[in-house]
């Protein structure tokens, strides 16, 4: 029941990304790739779809291949108990008290031992192990360079979970994090900071006019003319969907016309908590007909997840992402890329991307979010200006060619040492 399954990815031609890079950047990429030709990079993560890691790997892996590397992506298959345990570990890494009994910790280790035996049989020169679920494989496989890539917010980690994970992290040849505060207290010499990125050529980011987006959303019962607020996120406590509901309610007192979409199509096999959080959100929304909750792909009436998310991000008047913890938050990047006015919460990954008042807003309380909504809905030109600056900042820092460059440099450091 514990396996590593190869995830098939689409083909990507690096030349297609030329409009997003300069000639010097292209030369830089080609130079790095020449040294790495034929090198076998193996990415391992917990789920083939759902969530930011799968989103990123589905672009990065084909691009690495397009540059001449032999990269592959394998996702874990493991019993439900394993993913319940690893969600607890994930939550404790983000700051919840860690209470797992030792039998569960043993189980986490034993699944990783099995996983490691599968991993050891795969052909690779460098492995990149994403997030804590498969992290403990390092105890059993370390005959080749191993990189741990931590995407989640480790800046408020519970001390007990740190004691569990630190020895594994320390055993890797390199640990890659999205922000320096997430380095678990590891020596700087083994830590690299690489920020995530989105793929401008992904179907999720195809150009879509606001009018078309609103027509598409109208098919799903969302009024095409009334103001629309939206948060696109897994149903997860750290994403703060209840905080979104509260801010919406406060704003609605003064603007009764507003509507809200909370979209979290459940696709990630490693997130068993989503259904219970969804039930809680549904109860808290008290049948308000202006709150639209999406958790199941069947609700989309044949519209694909990517088109649906794109329509929300292009059609919403304001995109919210009120997460209290966020390793990075690709949904913020995605909405900013579409020129949306985004209001973010206190999660550090969001604060990294949004400069308050410049390319979006950061608010810390529901009341402040409601006030910001009211102000922004009354000022469409300001919204548009914020959105333009948001798009420019994503173009500059958070598109996939830059992520590719950082990964090629990372791999090169193992070749030349
Ligand atoms: N997402 C999606 N459909 C949904 C909700 C989310 O495709 O209904 C995608 C979203 O577009 C983004 C990813 O899931 O690409 C979430 O990544 P993020 O880094 O924001 O959060 P994570 O889920 O990894 O914590």
């Amino acid at each position: 029941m514990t396996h590593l399954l190869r995830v098939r990815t689409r083909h990507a031609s690096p030349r297609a990304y030329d409009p997003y890079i300069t000639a010097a950047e292209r030369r830089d990429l080609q130079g790095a790739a020449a040294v790495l030709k034929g090198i076998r990079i193996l990415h391992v993560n917990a789920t083939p779809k759902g969530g930011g890691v799968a989103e990123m790997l589905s672009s990065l892996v084909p691009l690495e291949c397009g540059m001449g590397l032999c990269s592959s992506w394998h996702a874990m298959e493991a019993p439900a108990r394993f993913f319940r345990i690893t969600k607890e570990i994930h939550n404790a890494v983000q700051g919840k008290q860690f209470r797992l009994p030792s039998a569960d910790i043993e189980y986490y280790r034993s699944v990783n031992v099995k996983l490691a035996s599968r991993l050891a049989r795969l052909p690779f020169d460098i492995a990149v192990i994403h997030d804590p679920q498969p992290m403990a494989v390092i105890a059993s496989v370390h005959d080749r360079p191993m990189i741990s890539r931590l995407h989640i917010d480790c800046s408020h980690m519970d001390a007990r979970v740190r004691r569990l994970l630190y020895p594994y992290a320390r055993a890797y040849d390199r640990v890659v994090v999205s922000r320096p505060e997430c380095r678990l207290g590891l020596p700087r010499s083994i830590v690299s900071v690489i920020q995530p990125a989105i793929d401008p050529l992904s179907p999720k980011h195809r150009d879509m006019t606001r009018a078309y987006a609103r027509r598409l959303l109208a098919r799903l019962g969302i009024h095409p003319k009334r103001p629309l607020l939206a948060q696109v996120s897994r149903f997860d406590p750290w994403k703060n969907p209840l905080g979104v509901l509260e801010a919406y309610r406060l704003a609605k007192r003064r603007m009764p016309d507003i509507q809200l979409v909370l979209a979290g199509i459940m696709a990630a096999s490693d997130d068993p908590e989503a259904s219970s959080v969804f039930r809680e959100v549904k109860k808290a929304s008290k049948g308000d007909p202006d709150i639209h909750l999406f958790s199941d792909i069947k609700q989309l009436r044949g519209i694909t997840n990517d088109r649906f998310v794109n329509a929300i991000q292009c059609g919403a008047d304001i995109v919210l992402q009120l997460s209290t913890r966020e390793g990075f938050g690709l949904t913020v990047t995605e909405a900013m890329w579409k020129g949306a006015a985004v209001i973010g919460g206190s999660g550090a990954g969001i604060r990294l991307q949004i400069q308050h008042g410049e390319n979006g807003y950061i608010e810390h309380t529901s009341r402040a979010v409601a006030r910001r909504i009211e102000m922004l809905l009354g000022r469409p030109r300001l919204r548009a200006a914020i959105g333009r600056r948001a798009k420019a900042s994503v173009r500059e820092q958070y598109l996939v060619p830059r992520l590719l460059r950082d990964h090629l440099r990372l791999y090169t450091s193992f070749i030349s040492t």
Side-chain angles (χ1 to χ4, degrees):
M1 190 54 192
T2 300
H3 292 290
L4 276 174
L5 297 177
R6 182 160 189 172
V7 183
R8 301 266 157 226
T9 50
R10 67 192 165 81
H11 173 77
S13 155
R15 295 307 303 249
Y17 293 82
D18 280 358
Y20 302 99
I21 54 175
T22 62
E25 285 165 343
R26 190 177 324 121
R27 278 195 300 276
D28 194 17
L29 279 174
Q30 284 162 348
V35 184
L36 294 166
K37 215 162 193 58
I39 193 161
R40 296 164 303 174
I41 306 291
L42 171 66
H43 292 270
V44 175
N45 84 320
T47 174
K49 54 181 194 279
V53 180
E55 183 77 19
M56 240 177 330
L57 289 177
S58 64
S59 298
L60 180 64
V61 172
L63 263 175
E64 287 182 0
C65 294
M67 296 301 296
L69 285 70
C70 289
S71 296
S72 65
W73 168 17
H74 284 71
M76 296 182 62
E77 200 178 70
R81 179 181 174 195
F82 177 79
F83 289 119
R84 278 198 300 276
I85 292 169
T86 55
K87 187 71 203 273
E88 279 302 310
I89 292 176
H90 170 108
N91 285 338
V93 168
Q94 300 215 125
K96 187 180 164 193
Q97 200 181 7
F98 187 55
R99 294 170 185 273
L100 276 183
S102 48
D104 282 349
I105 293 174
E106 258 334 292
Y107 187 76
Y108 166 71
R109 291 196 169 112
S110 69
V111 169
N112 266 274
V113 169
K114 285 188 198 139
L115 199 64
S117 74
R118 311 265 178 206
L119 182 70
R121 276 182 250 147
L122 294 173
F124 69 90
D125 299 306
I126 300 175
V128 188
I129 308 295
H130 295 262
D131 277 340
Q133 297 93 333
M135 190 179 194
V137 292
I138 191 74
S140 319
V141 190
H142 199 177
D143 52 350
R144 286 155 279 184
M146 301 280 286
I147 299 168
S148 164
R149 197 341 176 172
L150 292 172
H151 297 269
I152 53 183
D153 191 344
C154 309
S155 51
H156 296 77
M157 205 161 176
D158 175 274
R160 281 184 58 207
V161 83
R162 187 175 175 281
R163 279 200 293 279
L164 169 68
L165 297 182
Y166 185 89
Y168 297 126
R170 187 71 185 87
Y172 279 86
D173 299 290
R174 194 75 54 84
V175 176
V176 179
V177 293
S178 301
R179 293 177 287 113
E181 314 85 91
C182 291
R183 71 183 172 96
L184 312 187
L186 290 161
R188 283 180 201 282
S189 56
I190 69 157
V191 176
S192 298
V193 178
I194 298 182
Q195 278 142 15
I198 60 164
D199 183 348
L201 301 182
S202 144
K204 192 180 272 184
H205 306 314
R206 230 164 244 158
D207 281 345
M208 191 184 275
T209 64
R210 182 187 143 77
Y212 180 83
R214 293 303 296 252
R215 279 203 300 280
L216 205 62
L217 294 176
R219 278 167 47 190
L220 304 175
I222 296 156
H223 195 284
K225 295 272 184 271
R226 288 166 50 194
L228 180 62
L229 318 175
Q231 175 161 301
V232 177
S233 268
R234 288 181 295 110
F235 285 98
D236 173 288
W238 304 108
K239 306 286 183 187
N240 196 14
L242 295 176
V244 174
L245 285 183
E246 198 182 327
Y248 156 83
R249 285 228 169 79
L250 289 169
K252 200 170 176 71
R253 284 189 198 154
R254 296 171 62 93
M255 292 168 294
D257 236 19
I258 60 176
Q259 322 170 77
L260 172 69
V261 166
L262 283 172
I265 302 299
M266 291 178 204
S269 48
D270 64 333
D271 189 3
E273 210 181 4
S275 318
S276 65
V277 175
F278 176 72
R279 280 196 297 276
E280 212 182 326
V281 171
K282 194 165 178 193
K283 194 163 159 217
S285 66
K286 296 182 187 141
D288 178 339
D290 292 332
I291 300 177
H292 302 267
L293 305 179
F294 294 93
S295 63
D296 187 339
I297 192 92
K298 291 194 202 94
Q299 288 173 270
L300 305 188
R301 298 166 176 252
I303 301 171
T304 62
N305 171 73
D306 283 355
R307 260 178 101 214
F308 167 65
V309 169
N310 199 11
I312 293 175
Q313 291 168 339
C314 295
D317 296 285
I318 297 174
V319 172
L320 304 170
Q321 190 59 58
L322 302 187
S323 316
T324 53
R325 296 281 189 276
E326 199 65 80
F328 184 73
L330 280 184
T331 51
V332 172
T333 334
E334 291 169 356
M336 289 171 77
W337 178 240
K338 287 152 201 184
V342 181
I343 305 178
S346 56
I350 302 176
R351 283 186 279 119
L352 181 75
Q353 299 185 65
I354 295 181
Q355 281 73 55
H356 181 75
E358 175 64 21
N359 59 357
Y361 295 90
I362 299 287
E363 302 295 356
H364 298 278
T365 65
S366 305
R367 210 163 282 285
V369 173
R371 274 199 300 270
R372 185 65 63 193
I373 291 170
E374 189 179 355
M375 184 278 270
L376 282 172
L377 285 181
R379 298 184 59 187
R381 280 167 58 185
L382 173 64
R383 279 204 318 269
I386 291 281
R388 274 194 301 278
R389 291 198 288 267
K391 182 163 182 124
S393 64
V394 174
R395 177 179 272 276
E396 215 171 279
Q397 302 171 81
Y398 302 127
L399 294 184
V400 75
R402 194 269 307 144
L403 179 68
L404 175 68
R405 180 204 68 195
D406 290 351
H407 271 256
L408 296 185
R409 284 184 184 163
L410 175 70
Y411 307 146
T412 311
S413 70
F414 288 97
I415 302 296
S416 48
T417 52

